[in-house]
Amino acid sequence: MPKRVLVVEDSEFLGRLVADRLAARGYECTLAADGLEGLRRFTDELPDAVVLDLNLPRLHGLDVLRQIKRIRPETVVVVLTGHGSERTAMKALRLGANDYITKPFREDILLRSLRIHLERAELQAYIHSEAPLPPRVEAQVLARVFFEAPAAILHVDPDNRVVAANRAAARLLARRIEELVGAPVEGFVCPELRCRWMDRVREEASAPGGYEGEVYMEGPTGRFPAAVAGVERPEPGHLILALRDLTHQKALEKRYLESKKLASLGRVVEGVAHEVRNPLISIGGFARKLRRRLDGQPESRYLDVIVSEVERLERMVQDIEDYVAFSREHRSRFEPVDLREIVQQCVDRWKGRAEAQGVRVRFDKPEDLPQVYGDRNLLAELFGGLVENAIEAMPTGGDLTVDFRPVENWVQVRIRDTGVGIDPDDLEEIFDPFFTSKTSGTGLGLAKAHLIVEEHAGTIEFESRRGQGTVCTVALPVDRRRIPRGGSA
């Protein structure tokens, strides 16, 4: 029996083209020209798959998707979106869409996506409805699989209390198994989300696809984001919940978004620098000529100001072009390096200025610190800039402390000062190009530092309060052997 596909597309030409291509491959297709018609046809026909444009008249594609997944969660939905609408496509994936394809798209990509996801849906339907247990599987074997499974699993009774928990759940929630058994499952969720959370889990767990969501959980070691999946057991009211810590994933997503933001800002500032350079050359050249002609006259002081400001802008443009060139064109040379040696040289370079300002420097370096895999010159530039910033933050003196700490497969370098500090509201913006609290400079130093740390697959974080100093922590992996951006190791 051919698979039935509903195509919801407001462009008559594109909708007909997609339907004809799918029909040629053996699919049974129907068309809808707007969101309301698409939802009506879906309700009447309950097709196996929907090809859904997101930008629809009368009812937005996201609202259509939401209703489709409420009515029949197992339906395969492939959404179509235009360039620049990836954020909306991400929302569609979170609502249950199986895939998204950007217009203009290739026919083979759409066909392949539909085929793969329809095959998966068919397999899942078989597993849910027909797949028997393997022969001769004894109860103790299944119990051991549950107990030793690497995923955190909880068995919850109709009163929302934990009946059984495996080792992974005990590790995730930082409690002993005997403490978990009998405890209300809502107690592991942060207080502001507990109200009716399990009601929603139970409502969706009864659907064919089960429940999938994210929640902040709480344990003795603090709050953390977790993914929760839930399905009903054969016994009425009993659930199986699978939990997964999302802390690392969220950190990676944050770094990815920061990288995209820096990349887009880099393109903007490159364009600005290019457009500004030529007028600056003309203004500066004519101002210098006029200053030579008016040398000694009172009006020449105005030209002195113009020339001075032009020179400042020319330096800023040069800084921008250097930053963009570095982010795109530099070639890294990775090798095992001793961080103690590199940071010591950076501190020695600024020691004279520190002493002149009354800054006391303390350098703590353990003897057994492992080497890291990095670019010596880039790391020297990174830590030289961070040490310089710390000293500049203490114009009337203070304490600068540099220490190292090995943490599993990482080496942390902490640079602490007792200077003016950073306003907490500014901490989210310190890596943005042109953001600076100094009276001079372009604010590209920390943006470049972020690029260098990202190049080394590390992390950089600041903790600070106004008037209470700053702690900058750079963590670098001991062994990071992958091809770096812009060059080879």
Side-chain angles (χ1 to χ4, degrees), residues 244-383:
R244 181 165 57 91
D245 188 353
L246 295 178
T247 303
H248 181 63
Q249 179 179 322
K250 295 296 183 183
L252 290 177
E253 289 176 359
K254 182 179 179 182
R255 286 178 56 192
Y256 171 71
L257 291 174
E258 288 174 346
S259 300
K260 283 192 67 176
K261 181 172 68 173
L262 290 177
S264 62
L265 283 171
R267 290 191 293 269
V268 171
V269 298
E270 180 186 27
V272 171
H274 178 75
E275 293 298 324
V276 167
R277 175 174 286 282
N278 291 336
L280 277 179
I281 293 173
S282 300
I283 294 169
F286 287 124
R288 291 182 182 95
K289 284 184 177 181
L290 285 173
R291 185 173 61 176
R292 285 195 295 270
R293 290 189 177 185
L294 298 175
D295 187 32
Q297 299 185 34
E299 290 82 359
S300 65
R301 67 180 185 274
Y302 301 121
L303 293 170
D304 291 338
V305 174
I306 294 174
V307 170
S308 175
E309 290 300 300
V310 166
E311 290 173 347
R312 183 179 66 83
L313 289 174
E314 286 175 340
R315 288 193 299 270
M316 183 188 73
V317 169
Q318 187 61 54
D319 287 344
I320 292 171
E321 292 179 339
D322 290 344
Y323 168 78
V324 173
F326 169 81
S327 65
R328 289 186 176 178
E329 302 170 8
H330 76 280
R331 296 292 183 268
S332 305
R333 297 182 180 275
F334 282 73
E335 60 183 345
V337 295
D338 186 343
L339 274 183
R340 293 170 300 184
E341 175 189 342
I342 293 174
V343 180
Q344 178 75 70
Q345 291 173 354
C346 296
V347 171
D348 291 343
R349 190 190 319 153
W350 294 100
K351 198 168 185 178
R353 178 174 174 180
E355 291 175 348
Q357 292 181 195
V359 175
R360 296 173 294 276
V361 179
R362 179 183 173 187
F363 192 86
D364 295 332
K365 50 180 182 179
E367 295 299 327
D368 58 347
L369 196 71
Q371 291 185 319
V372 301
Y373 197 66
D375 184 299
R376 183 179 301 274
N377 293 330
L378 290 182
L379 292 175
E381 183 172 359
L382 167 67
F383 290 108

Side-chain angles (χ1 to χ4, degrees), residues 5-9 12 14-16 19 29-33 37 41:
V5 180
L6 170 63
V7 179
V8 187
E9 169 61 60
E12 183 179 357
L14 183 57
R16 176 55 58 190
C29 295
T30 54
L31 274 170
E37 182 187 357
R41 284 188 175 274

Side-chain angles (χ1 to χ4, degrees), residues 178-250:
E178 51 266 34
E179 293 175 330
L180 294 176
V181 174
V185 71
E186 297 101 324
F188 307 134
V189 179
C190 61
E192 56 268 31
L193 299 178
R194 289 175 188 169
C195 181
R196 293 185 54 79
W197 176 68
M198 276 304 296
D199 292 341
R200 191 171 78 253
V201 173
R202 287 188 174 279
E203 180 182 349
E204 296 186 23
S206 62
Y211 169 83
E212 288 188 12
E214 295 182 10
V215 68
Y216 274 94
M217 309 202 78
E218 286 194 342
T221 57
R223 178 177 295 191
F224 62 92
V228 180
V231 294
E232 278 192 326
R233 280 178 54 86
E235 302 93 329
H238 287 254
L239 300 177
I240 294 293
L241 301 182
L243 316 176
R244 181 165 57 91
D245 188 353
L246 295 178
T247 303
H248 181 63
Q249 179 179 322
K250 295 296 183 183

Side-chain angles (χ1 to χ4, degrees), residues 6-24:
L6 170 63
V7 179
V8 187
E9 169 61 60
D10 63 329
S11 167
E12 183 179 357
F13 170 77
L14 183 57
R16 176 55 58 190
L17 178 65
V18 171
D20 289 345
R21 294 291 188 270
L22 294 178

